[in-house]
């Protein structure tokens, strides 16, 4: 066996640079590069190896470890999970900063390879700087926190362990059904330890992504379910986009007369103005989709996790003989909600079902098509109304969304994750391109927005990226703006400022409580509560201080002209937009299960509790 003497870190870095993914005959490098923040736990190991390997694995320097994971998964999402990033961190705090990103990756089924440094395998200098000593066993470190948020976890205690563990890590990352965060914890001494690495370990390896197909018998059963339905709907999730099944879905809907409703991850899977696109469904859904969902006798869920937002906490589907057909590569998702599981790739499913439905001459009746058309027309009018703003109010969030949307090209990308904006974007943004709408709503992780926007731009630098970020999320994690400037990757941050966590304040008040703790206010010494004046923050000045081109807007005209100027800039921009803090887009025949205190002297809470109990009566245990 031919071998070469390398450190563990050198072998791993060379191995990663030789991994490739192929799907549908297109081959590309599996890793576009590695993000990393160095410390004693990785600088002389992975850091040394990265420096040596050079362009074979490009190094990117972020400002925050959580953010680099977000950037990585946004990149992977844009690349339909066919290309990804690795992330290296030091031990202790640097490693744990990646945990939230790992959760976001795994929940969203997005691949990222995490390489946290770990305490010494030889344990001689322990307790080493940043080591948390676990009193019950020395084989536990803070990195064990990665286990529940990773789809694969290993600790490489000896260099030779890499030979079996790294290929396993690649298998999980590349598999669309299993993918998520994959963690290889690397003790700092193991990273620098050398071994005779077999040449074969370093050879080019191509991971072929096979589109999973369903057995004929299952396809036939699924086709029979559709054939027996009168009011079917398709719930299109992110899996439709990852599978590149978007135009096939549009044909399918057209041919068989089935309306398509979308989830956050699936928004963009059909152009908003396609006649069979009935808009978003669920808690954040629109009127057309939610009315169709309530009466559907068959829900064809494609590539969706069927989260409580999608199912309106299991109240969206009310037909007494409801059937759900769930098409998914992931068996857990396919089996959810008592569905008939069709475990296969979205595109393959649509291709396989088409001739079977044609053989049955299946098509929904004309009256159903007419009903869909009317509902969609009314819904589009409701969206227009929201985007037009409210008389006497200078600027609403809905209006700001409309203005940004109108200023964008179809291939531009809007990015968001948390706050009131994801729900409003889902309802009001009008995507025309499958990659034009990028909202992380699996974890809805504040702090994803700006880092994620950078990942989108890295993946597709030709697209203009608009990160719509609330003031709360901006204050939580804004520093990847600096990385975007360092890399010369322009992103546009539209900071929608409503003085605090207004969506949670709205939720709080709808749960019967008075406003408490969510707005950005000074402490009032008289009440010892955060009820003083609002804290004014100049987000444009903040962006400018980091090097961005910055603008402020508090009227529709100012926002439109700021967007025009921002578009002409070559560096990243920040537009600070002040919006009314109390005007919200309403819910449309939807509900979300947020439990209410069962005991309280506050009349508001008591009222909310009785409304909650009533709403729960519609909640179904789908099995
Ligand atoms: C990391 C994280 N912490 C807490 C939450 C809970 N949360 C959801 S939205 C929100 C407030 C967001 O504030 P902002 O970005 O200003 O948006 P707004 O609510 O004003 O629309 C909070 C605290 C979250 N989603 N993510
Ligand atoms: Mg806010």
């Amino acid at each position: 066996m031919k071998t070469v003497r390398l450190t563990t870190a050198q072998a791993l870095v060379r191995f990663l640079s030789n991994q490739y993914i192929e799907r549908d005959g297109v081959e590309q490098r599996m890793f576009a590069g590695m993000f990393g923040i160095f410390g004693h736990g990785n600088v002389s190991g992975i850091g040394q190896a990265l420096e040596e390997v050079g362009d074979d694995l490009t190094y990117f320097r972020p400002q925050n470890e959580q953010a680099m994971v977000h950037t990585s998964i946004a990149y992977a999402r844009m690349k339909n999970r066919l290309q990804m990033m690795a992330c290296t961190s030091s031990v202790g705090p640097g490693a744990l900063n990646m945990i939230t990103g790992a959760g976001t990756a795994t929940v969203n089924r997005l691949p990222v390879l995490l390489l946290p440094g770990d305490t010494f395998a030889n344990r001689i200098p322990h307790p080493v700087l940043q080591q948390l000593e676990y009193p019950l066993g020395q084989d536990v470190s803070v990195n064990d926190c990665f286990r529940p948020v990773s789809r694969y976890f290993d600790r490489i205690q000896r260099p030779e362990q890499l030979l079996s563990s790294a290929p396993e890590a690649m298998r999980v990352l590349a598999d669309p059904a299993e993918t998520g965060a994959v963690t290889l914890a690397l003790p700092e001494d193991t990273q620098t330890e050398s071994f005779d690495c077999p040449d074969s370990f370093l050879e080019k390896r191509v991971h072929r992504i096979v589109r999973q197909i369903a057995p004929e018998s299952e396809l036939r059963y699924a086709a029979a379910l559709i054939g027996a339905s009168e009011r079917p709907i398709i719930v299109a999730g992110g899996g439709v986009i990852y599978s590149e099944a978007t135009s096939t879905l549009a044909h399918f809907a057209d041919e068989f007369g089935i309306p398509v409703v979308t989830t956050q991850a699936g928004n963009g899977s059909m152009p908003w103005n396609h006649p069979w696109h009935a808009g978003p469904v669920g808690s954040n859904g629109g009127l057309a989709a939610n009315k169709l969902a309530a009466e559907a006798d068959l829900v064809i869920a494609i590539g969706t996790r069927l989260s409580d937002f999608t199912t309106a906490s299991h109240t969206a589907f009310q037909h007494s003989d409801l059937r759900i057909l769930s098409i998914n590569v992931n068996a857990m998702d396919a089996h959810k909600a008592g569905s008939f599981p069709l475990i296969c790739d979205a595109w393959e499913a649509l291709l396989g079902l088409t001739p079977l439905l044609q053989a049955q001459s299946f098509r929904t009746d004309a009256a159903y098509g007419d009903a869909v058309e009317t509902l969609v027309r009314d819904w589009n009018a409701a969206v227009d109304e929201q985007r037009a703003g409210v008389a006497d109010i200078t600027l609403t969030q809905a209006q700001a969304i409309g203005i940004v949307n109108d200023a964008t090209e179809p291939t531009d990308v809007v990015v968001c994750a948390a706050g009131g904006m994801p729900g409003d974007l889902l309802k009001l943004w009008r995507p025309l391109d499958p990659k034009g709408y990028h909202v992380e709503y699996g974890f809805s992780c504040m702090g994803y927005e700006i880092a994620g926007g950078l990942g989108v731009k890295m993946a597709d630098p030709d697209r203009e990226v608009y990160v719509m970020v609330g003031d709360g999320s901006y204050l939580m994690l804004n520093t990847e703006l600096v990385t975007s400037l360092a890399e010369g990757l322009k992103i546009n941050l539209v900071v929608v400022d409503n003085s605090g966590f207004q969506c949670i304040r709205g939720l709080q008040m709808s749960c019967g409580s008075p406003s408490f703790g969510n707005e950005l206010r000074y402490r009032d010494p008289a009440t010892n509560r955060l009820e003083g004046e609002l804290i004014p923050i100049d987000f444009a000045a903040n962006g400018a201080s980091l090097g961005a081109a910055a603008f402020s807007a508090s009227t529709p005209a100012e926002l439109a002209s700021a967007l025009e100027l921002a578009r002409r800039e070559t560096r990243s921009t920040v537009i600070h937009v002040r919006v009314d803090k109390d005007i919200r887009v309403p819910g449309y025949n939807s509900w979300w299960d947020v439990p209410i205190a069962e005991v309280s002297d506050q009349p508001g809470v008591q009222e909310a509790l009785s409304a909650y109990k009533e709403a729960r009566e519609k909640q179904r245990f789908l099995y």
Side-chain angles (χ1 to χ4, degrees), residues 60-84:
F60 301 101
R61 180 198 179 286
Q63 317 306 318
N64 173 295
E65 291 93 351
Q66 178 184 324
M68 73 184 172
V69 184
H70 292 324
T71 303
S72 299
I73 60 179
Y75 183 94
R77 175 168 165 179
M78 278 305 279
K79 295 284 187 183
N80 287 332
R81 310 189 289 202
L82 300 171
Q83 201 179 35
M84 61 198 74

mmCIF file of all heavy atoms in Angstrom, residues 60-84:
data_model
loop_
_atom_site.group_PDB
_atom_site.id
_atom_site.type_symbol
_atom_site.label_atom_id
_atom_site.label_comp_id
_atom_site.label_asym_id
_atom_site.label_seq_id
_atom_site.Cartn_x
_atom_site.Cartn_y
_atom_site.Cartn_z
ATOM 1 N N PHE A 60 -12.167 30.967 3.989
ATOM 2 C CA PHE A 60 -12.932 32.201 4.187
ATOM 3 C C PHE A 60 -12.942 32.545 5.672
ATOM 4 O O PHE A 60 -13.134 31.666 6.514
ATOM 5 C CB PHE A 60 -14.383 32.031 3.716
ATOM 6 C CG PHE A 60 -14.507 31.663 2.268
ATOM 7 C CD1 PHE A 60 -14.756 30.354 1.895
ATOM 8 C CD2 PHE A 60 -14.360 32.628 1.272
ATOM 9 C CE1 PHE A 60 -14.880 30.005 0.561
ATOM 10 C CE2 PHE A 60 -14.473 32.287 -0.068
ATOM 11 C CZ PHE A 60 -14.727 30.972 -0.427
ATOM 12 N N ARG A 61 -12.761 33.833 5.958
ATOM 13 C CA ARG A 61 -12.724 34.256 7.363
ATOM 14 C C ARG A 61 -13.973 35.056 7.734
ATOM 15 O O ARG A 61 -14.153 36.186 7.300
ATOM 16 C CB ARG A 61 -11.493 35.134 7.608
ATOM 17 C CG ARG A 61 -11.384 35.612 9.051
ATOM 18 C CD ARG A 61 -10.428 36.787 9.115
ATOM 19 N NE ARG A 61 -10.279 37.336 10.437
ATOM 20 C CZ ARG A 61 -11.187 38.086 11.056
ATOM 21 N NH1 ARG A 61 -12.334 38.334 10.501
ATOM 22 N NH2 ARG A 61 -10.934 38.571 12.253
ATOM 23 N N PRO A 62 -14.842 34.459 8.550
ATOM 24 C CA PRO A 62 -16.051 35.172 8.991
ATOM 25 C C PRO A 62 -15.747 35.968 10.263
ATOM 26 O O PRO A 62 -14.599 36.023 10.705
ATOM 27 C CB PRO A 62 -16.994 34.021 9.290
ATOM 28 C CG PRO A 62 -16.067 32.973 9.844
ATOM 29 C CD PRO A 62 -14.738 33.131 9.142
ATOM 30 N N GLN A 63 -16.803 36.526 10.858
ATOM 31 C CA GLN A 63 -16.618 37.280 12.108
ATOM 32 C C GLN A 63 -17.177 36.522 13.311
ATOM 33 O O GLN A 63 -16.929 36.899 14.448
ATOM 34 C CB GLN A 63 -17.314 38.649 12.027
ATOM 35 C CG GLN A 63 -17.114 39.382 10.709
ATOM 36 C CD GLN A 63 -15.652 39.534 10.339
ATOM 37 O OE1 GLN A 63 -14.813 39.842 11.189
ATOM 38 N NE2 GLN A 63 -15.328 39.308 9.068
ATOM 39 N N ASN A 64 -17.927 35.481 13.059
ATOM 40 C CA ASN A 64 -18.632 34.803 14.148
ATOM 41 C C ASN A 64 -18.901 33.364 13.720
ATOM 42 O O ASN A 64 -19.285 33.105 12.578
ATOM 43 C CB ASN A 64 -19.961 35.563 14.388
ATOM 44 C CG ASN A 64 -20.883 34.871 15.367
ATOM 45 O OD1 ASN A 64 -21.381 33.774 15.107
ATOM 46 N ND2 ASN A 64 -21.142 35.500 16.487
ATOM 47 N N GLU A 65 -18.679 32.416 14.634
ATOM 48 C CA GLU A 65 -18.794 30.997 14.252
ATOM 49 C C GLU A 65 -20.230 30.597 13.923
ATOM 50 O O GLU A 65 -20.462 29.770 13.055
ATOM 51 C CB GLU A 65 -18.243 30.090 15.355
ATOM 52 C CG GLU A 65 -16.726 30.163 15.530
ATOM 53 C CD GLU A 65 -16.305 31.167 16.582
ATOM 54 O OE1 GLU A 65 -17.168 31.938 17.071
ATOM 55 O OE2 GLU A 65 -15.101 31.198 16.923
ATOM 56 N N GLN A 66 -21.205 31.127 14.675
ATOM 57 C CA GLN A 66 -22.596 30.789 14.331
ATOM 58 C C GLN A 66 -22.899 31.273 12.917
ATOM 59 O O GLN A 66 -23.467 30.553 12.092
ATOM 60 C CB GLN A 66 -23.576 31.453 15.306
ATOM 61 C CG GLN A 66 -25.034 31.168 14.949
ATOM 62 C CD GLN A 66 -26.038 31.896 15.834
ATOM 63 O OE1 GLN A 66 -25.805 32.061 17.025
ATOM 64 N NE2 GLN A 66 -27.130 32.330 15.268
ATOM 65 N N ALA A 67 -22.463 32.499 12.655
ATOM 66 C CA ALA A 67 -22.756 33.096 11.350
ATOM 67 C C ALA A 67 -22.129 32.292 10.214
ATOM 68 O O ALA A 67 -22.731 32.135 9.152
ATOM 69 C CB ALA A 67 -22.251 34.535 11.321
ATOM 70 N N MET A 68 -20.921 31.751 10.435
ATOM 71 C CA MET A 68 -20.280 31.046 9.305
ATOM 72 C C MET A 68 -21.055 29.775 8.955
ATOM 73 O O MET A 68 -21.072 29.356 7.793
ATOM 74 C CB MET A 68 -18.803 30.740 9.585
ATOM 75 C CG MET A 68 -18.498 29.643 10.581
ATOM 76 S SD MET A 68 -16.706 29.531 10.857
ATOM 77 C CE MET A 68 -16.638 28.363 12.219
ATOM 78 N N VAL A 69 -21.716 29.191 9.953
ATOM 79 C CA VAL A 69 -22.530 28.010 9.649
ATOM 80 C C VAL A 69 -23.766 28.439 8.856
ATOM 81 O O VAL A 69 -24.153 27.794 7.877
ATOM 82 C CB VAL A 69 -22.907 27.245 10.936
ATOM 83 C CG1 VAL A 69 -23.673 25.973 10.577
ATOM 84 C CG2 VAL A 69 -21.672 26.904 11.757
ATOM 85 N N HIS A 70 -24.361 29.559 9.244
ATOM 86 C CA HIS A 70 -25.513 30.068 8.486
ATOM 87 C C HIS A 70 -25.106 30.372 7.036
ATOM 88 O O HIS A 70 -25.833 30.051 6.101
ATOM 89 C CB HIS A 70 -26.072 31.341 9.126
ATOM 90 C CG HIS A 70 -26.714 31.130 10.465
ATOM 91 N ND1 HIS A 70 -27.441 30.005 10.779
ATOM 92 C CD2 HIS A 70 -26.756 31.916 11.573
ATOM 93 C CE1 HIS A 70 -27.906 30.118 12.013
ATOM 94 N NE2 HIS A 70 -27.498 31.257 12.521
ATOM 95 N N THR A 71 -23.982 31.034 6.882
ATOM 96 C CA THR A 71 -23.525 31.366 5.520
ATOM 97 C C THR A 71 -23.349 30.082 4.713
ATOM 98 O O THR A 71 -23.748 29.990 3.547
ATOM 99 C CB THR A 71 -22.200 32.155 5.582
ATOM 100 O OG1 THR A 71 -22.397 33.315 6.386
ATOM 101 C CG2 THR A 71 -21.741 32.583 4.197
ATOM 102 N N SER A 72 -22.782 29.074 5.364
ATOM 103 C CA SER A 72 -22.519 27.803 4.676
ATOM 104 C C SER A 72 -23.810 27.134 4.227
ATOM 105 O O SER A 72 -23.903 26.626 3.108
ATOM 106 C CB SER A 72 -21.774 26.845 5.610
ATOM 107 O OG SER A 72 -20.535 27.403 5.973
ATOM 108 N N ILE A 73 -24.821 27.133 5.096
ATOM 109 C CA ILE A 73 -26.029 26.397 4.713
ATOM 110 C C ILE A 73 -26.864 27.180 3.694
ATOM 111 O O ILE A 73 -27.550 26.589 2.867
ATOM 112 C CB ILE A 73 -26.868 25.942 5.929
ATOM 113 C CG1 ILE A 73 -27.346 27.097 6.774
ATOM 114 C CG2 ILE A 73 -26.094 24.940 6.754
ATOM 115 C CD1 ILE A 73 -28.198 26.673 7.972
ATOM 116 N N ALA A 74 -26.768 28.512 3.753
ATOM 117 C CA ALA A 74 -27.443 29.302 2.713
ATOM 118 C C ALA A 74 -26.804 28.984 1.365
ATOM 119 O O ALA A 74 -27.490 28.860 0.347
ATOM 120 C CB ALA A 74 -27.329 30.791 3.020
ATOM 121 N N TYR A 75 -25.486 28.831 1.383
ATOM 122 C CA TYR A 75 -24.752 28.469 0.162
ATOM 123 C C TYR A 75 -25.254 27.115 -0.354
ATOM 124 O O TYR A 75 -25.598 26.960 -1.528
ATOM 125 C CB TYR A 75 -23.254 28.404 0.483
ATOM 126 C CG TYR A 75 -22.390 28.116 -0.713
ATOM 127 C CD1 TYR A 75 -21.806 29.155 -1.438
ATOM 128 C CD2 TYR A 75 -22.159 26.812 -1.134
ATOM 129 C CE1 TYR A 75 -21.029 28.893 -2.548
ATOM 130 C CE2 TYR A 75 -21.388 26.540 -2.244
ATOM 131 C CZ TYR A 75 -20.821 27.588 -2.957
ATOM 132 O OH TYR A 75 -20.055 27.318 -4.058
ATOM 133 N N ALA A 76 -25.319 26.150 0.552
ATOM 134 C CA ALA A 76 -25.735 24.797 0.150
ATOM 135 C C ALA A 76 -27.169 24.795 -0.375
ATOM 136 O O ALA A 76 -27.498 24.083 -1.320
ATOM 137 C CB ALA A 76 -25.599 23.837 1.329
ATOM 138 N N ARG A 77 -28.025 25.617 0.245
ATOM 139 C CA ARG A 77 -29.426 25.681 -0.214
ATOM 140 C C ARG A 77 -29.489 26.244 -1.638
ATOM 141 O O ARG A 77 -30.221 25.733 -2.482
ATOM 142 C CB ARG A 77 -30.244 26.535 0.759
ATOM 143 C CG ARG A 77 -31.677 26.762 0.300
ATOM 144 C CD ARG A 77 -32.540 27.342 1.409
ATOM 145 N NE ARG A 77 -33.785 27.864 0.873
ATOM 146 C CZ ARG A 77 -34.744 28.411 1.607
ATOM 147 N NH1 ARG A 77 -34.602 28.502 2.916
ATOM 148 N NH2 ARG A 77 -35.850 28.875 1.057
ATOM 149 N N MET A 78 -28.721 27.293 -1.877
ATOM 150 C CA MET A 78 -28.698 27.866 -3.233
ATOM 151 C C MET A 78 -28.196 26.854 -4.248
ATOM 152 O O MET A 78 -28.581 26.879 -5.410
ATOM 153 C CB MET A 78 -27.798 29.104 -3.261
ATOM 154 C CG MET A 78 -28.431 30.375 -2.789
ATOM 155 S SD MET A 78 -29.955 30.822 -3.634
ATOM 156 C CE MET A 78 -29.352 31.596 -5.140
ATOM 157 N N LYS A 79 -27.297 25.976 -3.804
ATOM 158 C CA LYS A 79 -26.710 24.980 -4.707
ATOM 159 C C LYS A 79 -27.525 23.681 -4.717
ATOM 160 O O LYS A 79 -27.015 22.635 -5.130
ATOM 161 C CB LYS A 79 -25.272 24.671 -4.269
ATOM 162 C CG LYS A 79 -24.320 25.859 -4.406
ATOM 163 C CD LYS A 79 -23.944 26.073 -5.859
ATOM 164 C CE LYS A 79 -22.872 27.140 -5.994
ATOM 165 N NZ LYS A 79 -22.542 27.419 -7.402
ATOM 166 N N ASN A 80 -28.738 23.738 -4.230
ATOM 167 C CA ASN A 80 -29.597 22.545 -4.164
ATOM 168 C C ASN A 80 -28.899 21.379 -3.473
ATOM 169 O O ASN A 80 -29.075 20.213 -3.852
ATOM 170 C CB ASN A 80 -30.072 22.140 -5.563
ATOM 171 C CG ASN A 80 -31.110 23.104 -6.088
ATOM 172 O OD1 ASN A 80 -31.835 23.717 -5.307
ATOM 173 N ND2 ASN A 80 -31.172 23.260 -7.392
ATOM 174 N N ARG A 81 -28.068 21.680 -2.506
ATOM 175 C CA ARG A 81 -27.382 20.705 -1.645
ATOM 176 C C ARG A 81 -26.347 19.889 -2.421
ATOM 177 O O ARG A 81 -25.912 18.847 -1.942
ATOM 178 C CB ARG A 81 -28.397 19.779 -0.959
ATOM 179 C CG ARG A 81 -29.529 20.538 -0.283
ATOM 180 C CD ARG A 81 -30.394 19.669 0.552
ATOM 181 N NE ARG A 81 -31.238 18.773 -0.198
ATOM 182 C CZ ARG A 81 -32.350 18.222 0.275
ATOM 183 N NH1 ARG A 81 -32.728 18.494 1.511
ATOM 184 N NH2 ARG A 81 -33.068 17.397 -0.443
ATOM 185 N N LEU A 82 -25.971 20.358 -3.614
ATOM 186 C CA LEU A 82 -25.011 19.606 -4.413
ATOM 187 C C LEU A 82 -23.590 20.135 -4.204
ATOM 188 O O LEU A 82 -22.633 19.570 -4.719
ATOM 189 C CB LEU A 82 -25.395 19.671 -5.895
ATOM 190 C CG LEU A 82 -26.788 19.086 -6.181
ATOM 191 C CD1 LEU A 82 -27.216 19.361 -7.615
ATOM 192 C CD2 LEU A 82 -26.809 17.584 -5.887
ATOM 193 N N GLN A 83 -23.470 21.239 -3.500
ATOM 194 C CA GLN A 83 -22.164 21.762 -3.135
ATOM 195 C C GLN A 83 -22.314 22.423 -1.772
ATOM 196 O O GLN A 83 -23.374 22.959 -1.459
ATOM 197 C CB GLN A 83 -21.692 22.777 -4.175
ATOM 198 C CG GLN A 83 -20.192 22.975 -4.134
ATOM 199 C CD GLN A 83 -19.711 23.959 -5.179
ATOM 200 O OE1 GLN A 83 -20.392 24.930 -5.490
ATOM 201 N NE2 GLN A 83 -18.533 23.721 -5.720
ATOM 202 N N MET A 84 -21.256 22.361 -0.974
ATOM 203 C CA MET A 84 -21.391 22.813 0.412
ATOM 204 C C MET A 84 -20.090 23.396 0.930
ATOM 205 O O MET A 84 -19.110 23.514 0.185
ATOM 206 C CB MET A 84 -21.851 21.639 1.274
ATOM 207 C CG MET A 84 -20.893 20.478 1.284
ATOM 208 S SD MET A 84 -21.640 18.938 1.862
ATOM 209 C CE MET A 84 -22.652 18.445 0.471
#
